[in-house]
Amino acid sequence: MRNDEKKNEYKTEWEKCNKVHWHDCAHILRTKHQGEYYRFVLQNLKPGQLVMIIDYKMKLELGVRLRENQRQWYGKRGISLHGCYILARGADGEKVAEVMDLWCEDTKQDSWFTQSALDVCFKEIERRFEGFSVFLFSGKCL
């Protein structure tokens, strides 16, 4: 391999590493900012407002094992599970907490399941907390 070819190869590899580095930095900054905003919203939650946190929890293979290593985790079959946590401040100023677990027997972890879970959660919010303002957070930012 010639010297110029090696330089180009190293340059390409460096550019890839640099891109990944800046994406990671942006993710860390975004996560920190969202976490701070989440805490601010919770501290200043007014009557008629609620915070909803939705997060993909895991896939469950019921009865298979309680602990698993990373190799066993990826590509796993089982039941998909989303969780929705709602913290509301009622008209009387009292906080109300609700937890919803949304199960799906389809093994796909795709946007369709996430959108369906959001739809179920929002319908429940409309039913139980009519007229409330909603702050929506993903569990990844907390």
Side-chain angles (χ1 to χ4, degrees), residues 56-79 109:
Y56 175 75
K57 289 186 174 181
M58 66 173 89
K59 276 194 169 183
L60 298 177
E61 288 184 294
L62 299 175
V64 175
R65 60 183 71 86
L66 295 176
R67 297 183 65 110
E68 53 198 9
N69 62 34
Q70 197 172 32
R71 177 176 286 154
Q72 293 167 326
W73 177 260
Y74 289 104
K76 180 168 140 178
R77 295 279 181 223
I79 298 170
Q109 301 172 11

Side-chain angles (χ1 to χ4, degrees), residues 47 88-96:
R89 187 169 299 272
D92 57 0
E94 187 174 322
K95 285 187 179 177
V96 178

Side-chain angles (χ1 to χ4, degrees), residues 26-51:
H27 172 71
I28 290 167
L29 182 62
R30 186 172 48 253
T31 301
K32 182 177 178 359
H33 172 73
Q34 288 176 346
E36 288 173 0
Y37 184 65
Y38 166 76
R39 287 185 288 282
F40 172 80
V41 167
L42 277 185
Q43 290 172 354
N44 297 291
L45 200 62
K46 295 177 177 58
Q49 294 181 333
L50 66 82
V51 172

Side-chain angles (χ1 to χ4, degrees), residues 34 37-38 41 50-55 84-85 118 121-122 125 133-139 141:
Q34 288 176 346
Y37 184 65
Y38 166 76
V41 167
L50 66 82
V51 172
M52 182 172 96
I53 303 165
I54 189 162
D55 194 18
C84 181
Y85 175 68
L118 279 168
C121 288
F122 279 126
I125 286 171
S133 299
V134 178
F135 294 93
L136 175 63
F137 292 93
S138 166
C141 72

